[in-house]
Amino acid sequence: MKRALNLVLPSVGVLLAIIVWWGVSTIVNDLPSPLKTWEESKLYILKPLEKRGEMDQGIALLAYYSLMRVARGFLLGIAIGTPLGFLLGMSRTLTRTFDPVMQVLRPISPLAWLPLGLIIFQKSEPAALFAIAVCSMWPTVINTMAGVRAIPQDYWNVAKVLRLSPFTTFAKVVVPATLPYMFTGFRLSLGIAWLVIVASEMLTGTPGVGGFLWQEYNSLIYAHILLAILTIGVVGFVLDRLMGLVETRLSTVNRVTG
Amino acid sequence: MAFIEVSQVAKTFVTAGGSSLEVLADVSLSVERGEFVSILGTMGCGKSTLLKIMAGLVEPDAGRVTIGGEPARGVRLNAAIVFQNYSLLPWFSALENVRLAVGTAFPEWPRERQRQHAVRYLESVGLGSAVDRRPGQLSGGMRQRVAIARAFAIEPELLFLDEPFGALDALTRDSLQQELARLCSVTSRPVTTVMITNSVEEALLLSDRMLPMTAGPRASLGTPVAVELARPRSASELLHDDHAADVRAYVVASLTEDLRRARAHRDVVRSAGLPPSPGLRRTAVALAEAGQACRRGGPEGPHYVETRTALHVVPEIEG
């Protein structure tokens, strides 16, 4: 019964959302209805891996390009963000020094970083990676920092009593204790990286879901905009779920206090 | 000069609200090499802080701690601590927890030897079949066994026990106390041990000397009393022993009655007589009667000693 409800209720929600979409499309002239969207998009969905032109590609291929770009930007972001988080977590002085800088940089939109990236790197691809990394690293920095701060005094005492070297303390105590927090940070960072991809692809015109969306807007094929939007949503949802699974696994191991 | 010398140590904690709490004021004590000393006190009297200062985990505000003639700065080589809350690392198995300690104590050993050493100590506390389990899969008593194995595995010269059995149920506590007494007696050289506890029976069972600590804030130590009983000791013997009864009465008095009475009683303990003050005599008589009742009760069945002033009730299971 409960299992059935778990399937039925979300289906009802999706159905309602489609009905609302259909309702709005009857009022707004240029908004394609769900049926029209399907009719015009089915080539992209049914042949997801077909490459017909630079932007004219199957939706899975476009999503793959975007995902690869996000992966690189995200990895760059957490590669910078995680060590930064550890440093800030272990030193109050560093936190006090860099807190204002962080608080100012954090709310800056990817749209603002991108031109700066283009100036610095002169090319669209590295500029996009720069924008993704710089926008998505903050949750990782902040969560890793909070994780280090939240390590119980007991664990520090254990490290002291066993006279672990600084490296061993870091590898065997600090990192495992911080891992659940780090992964919460990674999950939030990945979410932001995925948000940024659309903006950066729109501005740089590179092939991907965001680039496709912008091109189809300029070509007045509005159904494809909706296709791109739905794709972004579904991929983002799947990414979040996957990271969530890892996160849950990690925190169940660590929640037990020794 | 004694092995551990603590002289005029003071410690004040400043709370987040800005108010300060003077936990320890002018505490001095000494521990001889190979001696097992228990520091007894009620909850929150600052005895844990004192142990952490001796172990080098907390810096005192004033005073000095020397170990083996050298000032104790930081955590010492060859010192092990067993904490009340086990303090195992939850992401490692029992074996890995012990091996981590062995690895830093004997870095020159090959990995396989470190592993075998860790396994041997886990086996010695009866955890041979649980070496690969994580702390989360172990009971409280088993976790504390791992912590004890970890402490002994580095073959310490110095052992600090911070209410090691405080979080355990009475039955597990009894068996672990025996286990600890056995481990202390089988080591090749005598381990100098300082134990913090609020159980008089536990201290009687394990220690050479007991130090009652007055209730904090501004805690200070009472006069130490020697436990002159042969080893191995058993909880049941302690109930019947006159000397144990006197020591128990003195310590309980130190902890519960005012200091003047405790001082008066100290002289009596020295001459092994009965306490002079009415309150103390009542305590001692009650304990003695309870002891006799136990003896009359025969070998089987549980026996209890209960007094209003006794801090700890001892279930006696061995008969």
Side-chain angles (χ1 to χ4, degrees):
Chain A
M1 185 63 205
K2 225 174 174 180
R3 278 180 77 94
L5 271 183
N6 279 346
L7 269 170
V8 169
L9 290 179
S11 312
V12 170
V14 170
L15 204 67
L16 282 175
I18 292 174
I19 290 169
V20 170
W21 172 10
W22 174 79
V24 177
S25 74
T26 56
I27 304 163
V28 182
N29 267 342
D30 279 338
L31 183 73
S33 71
L35 198 69
K36 188 161 179 253
T37 306
W38 167 250
E39 286 293 329
E40 292 190 13
S41 308
K42 76 183 167 192
L43 177 66
Y44 293 87
I45 298 167
L46 297 178
K47 289 184 176 170
L49 294 173
E50 198 177 58
K51 188 169 177 174
R52 292 174 293 269
E54 212 212 348
M55 280 294 180
D56 191 15
Q57 303 191 28
I59 199 68
L61 264 184
L62 290 172
Y64 169 75
Y65 298 143
S66 294
L67 272 175
M68 283 301 112
R69 194 166 293 122
V70 161
R72 273 178 291 166
F74 166 71
L75 288 178
L76 185 65
I78 64 173
I80 301 166
T82 313
L84 204 60
F86 276 116
L87 282 176
L88 293 175
M90 284 188 275
S91 161
R92 295 256 168 206
T93 319
L94 279 179
T95 310
R96 263 190 301 205
T97 313
F98 291 110
D99 190 60
V101 180
M102 258 171 49
Q103 299 305 337
V104 168
L105 293 183
R106 210 156 59 92
I108 298 173
S109 145
L111 297 167
W113 283 116
L114 207 63
L116 193 67
L118 286 170
I119 293 168
I120 297 173
F121 298 105
Q122 302 288 330
K123 276 184 188 158
S124 61
E125 194 62 34
L129 293 189
F130 165 77
I132 296 169
V134 115
C135 287
S136 67
M137 65 189 251
W138 302 112
T140 298
V141 174
I142 289 164
N143 275 280
T144 307
M145 185 177 87
V148 175
R149 296 252 172 85
I151 296 176
Q153 186 58 41
D154 291 344
Y155 295 162
W156 293 114
N157 281 347
V158 168
K160 267 200 224 169
V161 169
L162 300 183
R163 287 178 299 107
L164 301 181
S165 67
F167 176 76
T168 314
T169 303
F170 183 73
K172 307 251 167 160
V173 181
V174 178
V175 171
T178 315
L179 222 50
Y181 286 83
M182 260 163 68
F183 264 79
T184 304
F186 290 172
R187 186 163 69 105
L188 297 171
S189 284
L190 187 60
I192 290 181
W194 187 243
L195 283 179
V196 173
I197 185 75
V198 179
S200 58
E201 282 179 359
M202 273 163 104
L203 289 184
T204 56
T206 41
V209 188
F212 175 70
L213 193 154
W214 192 240
Q215 187 198 266
E216 300 305 285
Y217 168 70
N218 288 325
S219 323
L220 308 175
I221 310 172
Y222 298 146
H224 291 171
I225 296 180
L226 291 168
L227 170 68
I229 288 176
L230 287 174
T231 308
I232 292 163
V234 169
V235 172
F237 170 72
V238 172
L239 284 181
D240 192 66
R241 272 298 156 94
L242 289 177
M243 290 299 278
L245 283 179
V246 181
E247 203 186 328
T248 323
R249 253 191 83 84
L250 284 172
S251 55
T252 43
V253 171
N254 278 33
R255 203 176 300 127
V256 185
T257 47
Chain B
M1 192 163 159
F3 184 48
I4 306 176
E5 285 281 358
V6 176
S7 57
Q8 294 167 334
V9 159
K11 181 74 191 174
T12 302
F13 285 111
V14 180
T15 60
S19 60
S20 61
L21 181 69
E22 193 176 18
V23 182
L24 299 172
D26 191 27
V27 173
S28 300
L29 71 106
S30 58
V31 180
E32 297 295 335
R33 194 179 281 276
E35 200 180 19
F36 194 125
V37 169
S38 295
I39 298 168
L40 283 118
T42 48
M43 274 185 21
C45 74
K47 55 193 190 305
S48 262
T49 306
L50 177 60
L51 188 88
K52 289 200 173 97
I53 289 173
M54 292 169 76
L57 288 175
V58 171
E59 282 286 309
D61 295 335
R64 217 155 46 89
V65 179
T66 61
I67 295 174
E70 289 167 35
R73 208 174 276 128
V75 179
R76 269 183 63 85
L77 194 75
N78 257 329
I81 308 185
V82 177
F83 298 96
Q84 175 176 7
N85 59 2
Y86 328 124
S87 292
L88 302 174
L89 300 173
W91 42 85
F92 287 145
S93 69
L95 177 62
E96 285 166 323
N97 265 290
V98 178
R99 216 201 60 78
L100 193 62
V102 175
T104 41
F106 307 105
E108 70 283 1
W109 289 3
R111 290 186 78 81
E112 183 51 29
R113 183 165 175 207
Q114 291 178 353
R115 202 190 70 87
Q116 283 169 359
H117 187 80
V119 169
R120 195 154 56 82
Y121 274 89
L122 281 166
E123 279 168 354
S124 78
V125 294
L127 286 179
S129 58
V131 291
D132 290 324
R133 285 205 237 160
R134 290 187 178 192
Q137 300 164 311
L138 298 171
S139 69
M142 288 163 97
R143 286 184 214 177
Q144 195 59 298
R145 279 168 201 267
V146 178
I148 289 170
R150 180 173 68 180
F152 278 91
I154 70 166
E155 293 177 355
E157 192 181 8
L158 198 53
L159 182 62
F160 295 104
L161 306 169
D162 188 359
E163 298 201 41
F165 312 119
L168 302 176
D169 64 88
L171 296 179
T172 313
R173 190 161 54 220
D174 284 351
S175 71
L176 266 186
Q177 283 164 358
Q178 295 294 345
E179 203 108 3
L180 184 70
R182 187 180 56 77
L183 277 170
C184 287
S185 65
V186 296
T187 48
S188 47
R189 56 183 166 175
V191 186
T192 310
T193 310
V194 180
M195 180 171 75
I196 294 295
T197 179
N198 55 23
S199 158
V200 183
E201 292 309 313
E202 188 169 292
L204 270 173
L205 192 67
L206 294 166
S207 42
D208 298 315
R209 212 146 48 92
M210 290 158 75
L211 282 160
M213 197 164 179
T214 60
R218 285 190 64 85
S220 57
L221 287 170
T223 310
V225 54
V227 185
E228 286 152 355
L229 293 169
R231 290 172 196 270
R233 299 165 188 167
S234 76
S236 52
E237 281 168 21
L238 290 177
L239 285 178
H240 310 155
D241 190 277
D242 289 340
H243 176 69
D246 288 339
V247 173
R248 186 186 292 118
Y250 164 68
V251 173
V252 170
S254 294
L255 296 175
T256 53
E257 311 270 327
D258 61 285
L259 274 171
R260 189 184 55 76
R261 281 179 169 180
R263 248 182 243 120
H265 188 68
R266 185 183 66 226
D267 307 328
V268 183
V269 171
R270 280 204 183 125
S271 57
L274 270 178
S277 79
L280 288 175
R281 190 173 295 130
R282 266 203 303 280
T283 308
V285 167
L287 284 163
E289 280 174 354
Q292 277 164 10
C294 288
R295 259 166 284 190
R296 279 196 302 273
E300 62 280 321
H303 309 308
Y304 298 96
V305 172
E306 269 182 289
T307 66
R308 217 166 15 87
T309 47
L311 296 177
H312 182 62
V313 178
V314 196
E316 222 290 279
I317 49 163
E318 289 176 344

